[in-house]
Amino acid sequence: MAHPAYAVFEHQLVSYRRVWRGSVLSSFLLPVLFLLAMGLSVGGYVDRTGGLGVRYLDFIAPGLLASTALQVAASESTWPVYSGFHWHRMYHSMRATPVRVADMVRGHIAYVLLRVALSALGFLIVMALFGTLHSWWAPLALPVSLLVGLATAAPIFAFSALVKTEGMFAVLFRFAVVPMTLFAGVFFPVDSLPLAARALAYVSPLWHGVELTRAATLGTASAWGAWAHVGYLVAWCVAGYLLATYRFGRRLAE
Amino acid sequence: MSAAEPLITARDLVKRFGDFTAVAGIDVDVHAGEAFGFLGPNGAGKSSTMRMIGCVSAPSGGTLRILGMDPVRDGSAIRARLGVCPQQDSLDPELTVRENLTVYARYFGISRKVARQRADELIEFVQLTERAGDTVEPLSGGMKRRLTIARALVNDPAIVLLDEPTTGLDPQARHLVWERLFQLKQRGVTLVLTTHYMDEAEQLCDRLVVMDGGKIVAEGSPRQLIDRYSTREVVELRFSEATLDSYVGKLESIGERLELLPDRILLYADDGDAAVAAVGNRDLRPSSVLVRRSTLEDVFLHLTGRTLVD
């Protein structure tokens, strides 16, 4: 007998089957646009200064990969989770079956990670075509993307189970996702930030993901050593998962 | 009634939310094959009771046994054998009718093959065969409710819980739902339902309890309740004058009981025609007279009062 968490995952797959073509297409299209616009065009100016030591395209591509993992994880963990409680009430319907709260969280997060994996894979293929993979470690960018995805999806699951209005997602994106994307080392090294801002970058899971991804595709060392970054991201995953399970239980008990 | 252990037993069952007591100590037994109803106005504690029986919310006090198990400790095992039709739809509107059933069957660990078979049978049972491949979103309220009932049957449950199964449906849709539930009853499925529709309770329930303010105020078969709390017939009198108060005295001692409503006066009598004749003998000229059978509605309003509960 299949595990109940797998049945939850399967439900999401049945939904995804309707839209997968569009989503796969965009997971190739978006990286192409980003790398053309940011990497090559902006890069043309940045590279004249030569301050980075590598081509701007090579610098920014792994950062964008990690930030894509964050974006996909965040959007798949906000409205769809909220809907499960308030609109389509999917979690309520599961609550009437043998499926337990932990199964709901695991099964749904597994699906979010599948979406992250597909987007990250598309991104990596495009990066290869742009000639931005410079190391045999590059395939490790894929598991790193999953780690970033889980480290952000799990706490956002908890957030989405907690909030009472969808307006709170605008707050989440404005004050967490967007600042992270802008200031966690995706577009420029955090060394150039003032100390306080740099500290915030260090706290964010994205910066650690960017460091690891960049280390993998460029074959360079990361700021704190790979295991420190991995450990920090795992801490977010574990804390987020525990919090999400707790919040789901609370929301469904109402 | 069978001598076997009841499928559901509640003793002094209580549910509190902070300071608010939703269910204030009720005793209930539901036996196999029975259609059992919780009748009551909004806020009477029906849905809270159903959520406890559905192992979704834990009792705050008293004991509750379902299928011989403890809902807090064995919630998952009990839910495996329950079918739940919630008050609010929780179908996946983006999936097709059939997919909604197969996906849900998987939550019970049913294999894909059996899930497909069962989905097709149930779709036929609730008369949605022509819409089986359509997404749920555009279906009418009645169709969605029938699909929700089909979904509740996907695990071949020992008990089916229905929380206000026909609220919000038009008359045709409601009758179709009743038909299906009646068929389930014929097959020996144990039904537990809540409703505030008296006709629904009369149609479907073998036995019911009337709840008000978290307590059970009456219990019995629909017939027993009508016999006990109402008369065989009710006469509804309307008068052209705006104030009906003056008629109360004039109608005294006709029938067993009189009730003054803003727009009409109800006379509870075992012989409605005799009561009408008595009204005529007193030279009262009502603008309209209706003699009807007493219904659970009369019982219900008698027991729970006519105050509007929102």
Side-chain angles (χ1 to χ4, degrees):
Chain A
M1 194 173 107
H3 194 278
Y6 182 72
V8 176
F9 175 69
E10 214 179 64
H11 183 162
Q12 298 297 326
L13 281 190
V14 174
S15 299
Y16 185 56
R17 219 162 47 189
R18 293 179 193 288
V19 294
W20 70 273
R21 284 180 195 85
S23 105
V24 166
L25 184 69
S26 71
S27 68
F28 283 100
L29 195 62
L30 276 178
V32 171
L33 295 178
F34 265 112
L35 292 185
L36 283 176
M38 303 294 302
L40 291 176
S41 308
V42 178
Y45 296 95
V46 176
D47 288 339
R48 280 182 219 158
T49 66
L52 279 172
V54 292
R55 276 197 306 164
Y56 188 61
L57 177 67
D58 293 333
F59 176 84
I60 197 178
L64 286 171
L65 168 56
S67 116
T68 298
L70 165 73
Q71 296 288 344
V72 173
S75 61
E76 287 297 321
S77 310
T78 43
W79 285 277
V81 172
Y82 186 82
S83 167
F85 291 111
H86 301 278
W87 297 330
H88 299 173
R89 300 173 60 82
M90 177 181 71
Y91 300 126
H92 292 278
S93 75
M94 293 173 186
R95 192 75 184 101
T97 73
V99 173
R100 292 161 309 165
V101 169
D103 301 325
M104 300 177 197
V105 176
R106 285 182 216 166
H108 199 166
I109 285 192
Y111 167 74
V112 172
L113 291 184
L114 174 73
R115 296 293 304 271
V116 170
L118 290 175
S119 297
L121 187 64
F123 208 112
L124 264 179
I125 291 170
V126 172
M127 279 176 73
L129 296 177
F130 275 78
T132 59
L133 302 182
H134 298 283
S135 156
W136 289 108
W137 293 105
L140 281 182
L142 194 59
V144 168
S145 301
L146 286 176
L147 195 57
V148 173
L150 184 58
T152 47
I156 295 176
F157 262 61
F159 180 82
S160 303
L162 172 69
V163 296
K164 291 209 164 82
T165 65
E166 48 169 327
M168 291 304 287
F169 294 134
V171 176
L172 176 76
F173 277 87
R174 245 169 253 162
F175 291 97
V177 175
V178 171
M180 254 198 270
T181 308
L182 292 177
F183 297 106
V186 173
F187 299 102
F188 52 87
V190 294
D191 306 339
S192 53
L193 288 169
L195 190 60
R198 217 184 306 162
L200 284 177
Y202 294 157
V203 172
S204 79
L206 183 58
W207 178 71
H208 300 269
V210 170
E211 279 298 313
L212 286 170
T213 313
R214 199 164 277 148
T217 62
L218 296 178
T220 54
S222 60
W224 293 1
W227 292 112
H229 297 299
V230 169
Y232 185 75
L233 288 171
V234 168
W236 270 93
C237 297
V238 173
Y241 169 74
L242 293 175
L243 203 58
T245 311
Y246 171 71
R247 275 291 147 206
F248 267 55
R250 286 288 296 269
R251 175 60 76 217
L252 289 171
E254 278 171 7
Chain B
M1 209 175 286
S2 97
E5 196 197 343
L7 296 189
I8 302 171
T9 310
R11 289 293 172 271
D12 200 23
L13 185 62
V14 175
K15 181 69 195 184
R16 279 186 224 97
F17 298 99
D19 293 338
F20 174 69
T21 304
V23 179
I26 61 169
D27 294 348
V28 171
D29 286 312
V30 179
H31 298 269
E34 193 173 33
F36 187 90
F38 288 96
L39 192 61
N42 291 337
K46 307 182 303 280
S47 291
S48 298
T49 306
M50 287 294 256
R51 286 168 58 78
M52 286 191 277
I53 296 173
C55 309
V56 175
S57 113
S60 320
T63 57
L64 180 62
R65 305 279 297 171
I66 299 150
L67 300 165
M69 292 181 273
D70 172 34
V72 176
R73 212 187 50 225
D74 313 313
S76 194
I78 297 172
R79 288 197 300 269
R81 298 177 56 197
L82 297 182
V84 179
C85 175
Q87 201 174 326
Q88 251 179 303
D89 280 327
S90 59
L91 299 165
D92 190 328
E94 286 157 16
L95 301 190
T96 65
V97 167
R98 186 182 285 112
E99 284 168 342
N100 260 282
L101 296 180
T102 50
V103 154
Y104 199 73
R106 301 285 289 152
Y107 292 147
F108 292 90
I110 295 167
S111 75
R112 285 193 193 85
K113 187 164 162 256
V114 175
R116 277 195 299 271
Q117 275 169 10
R118 208 163 286 172
D120 287 336
E121 287 164 21
L122 288 169
I123 287 169
E124 205 181 315
F125 175 65
V126 296
Q127 298 180 329
L128 286 172
T129 309
E130 278 164 26
R131 310 298 298 265
D134 297 353
T135 52
V136 164
E137 183 89 71
L139 297 189
S140 71
M143 289 176 173
K144 283 180 183 160
R145 196 56 58 87
R146 264 144 55 205
L147 179 56
T148 304
I149 290 172
R151 196 181 67 171
L153 299 172
V154 87
N155 58 328
D156 203 5
I159 308 173
V160 179
L161 306 179
L162 302 130
D163 199 356
E164 303 195 2
T166 63
T167 299
L169 300 188
D170 62 42
Q172 282 91 343
R174 200 166 69 189
H175 278 277
L176 198 49
V177 167
W178 284 349
E179 256 172 50
R180 299 299 111 173
L181 294 180
F182 189 75
Q183 275 189 308
L184 286 180
K185 211 174 109 174
Q186 302 285 80
R187 291 185 192 174
V189 177
T190 306
L191 302 179
V192 177
L193 58 107
T194 72
T195 182
H196 45 234
Y197 294 125
M198 309 313 120
D199 47 354
E200 183 156 291
E202 278 181 284
Q203 290 260 356
L204 294 174
C205 297
D206 301 314
R207 215 155 54 82
L208 53 96
V209 292
V210 180
M211 288 186 78
D212 194 26
K215 288 203 160 68
I216 291 175
V217 293
E219 179 173 2
S221 70
R223 198 64 251 165
Q224 285 170 340
L225 290 176
I226 291 169
D227 288 347
R228 205 177 309 151
Y229 296 101
S230 190
T231 50
R232 205 172 66 84
E233 291 182 322
V234 179
V235 181
E236 299 200 2
L237 301 173
R238 288 166 198 269
F239 293 92
S240 40
E241 282 89 326
T243 51
L244 296 174
D245 307 41
S246 60
Y247 287 98
V248 173
K250 295 175 190 162
L251 289 166
E252 203 169 24
S253 79
I254 298 178
E256 293 183 16
R257 192 158 53 84
L258 173 148
E259 190 159 11
L260 174 69
L261 302 184
D263 60 335
R264 60 196 195 276
I265 292 175
L266 302 186
L267 293 176
Y268 293 86
D270 283 324
D271 185 342
D273 292 330
V276 173
V279 172
N281 289 341
R282 293 191 188 179
D283 258 353
L284 301 171
R285 297 279 169 266
S287 57
S288 88
V289 176
L290 171 71
V291 180
R292 60 169 174 82
R293 247 177 79 227
S294 182
T295 67
L296 265 184
E297 184 147 16
D298 300 303
V299 173
F300 180 71
L301 292 176
H302 176 58
L303 288 167
T304 64
R306 290 194 184 261
T307 341
L308 183 68
V309 183
D310 286 317

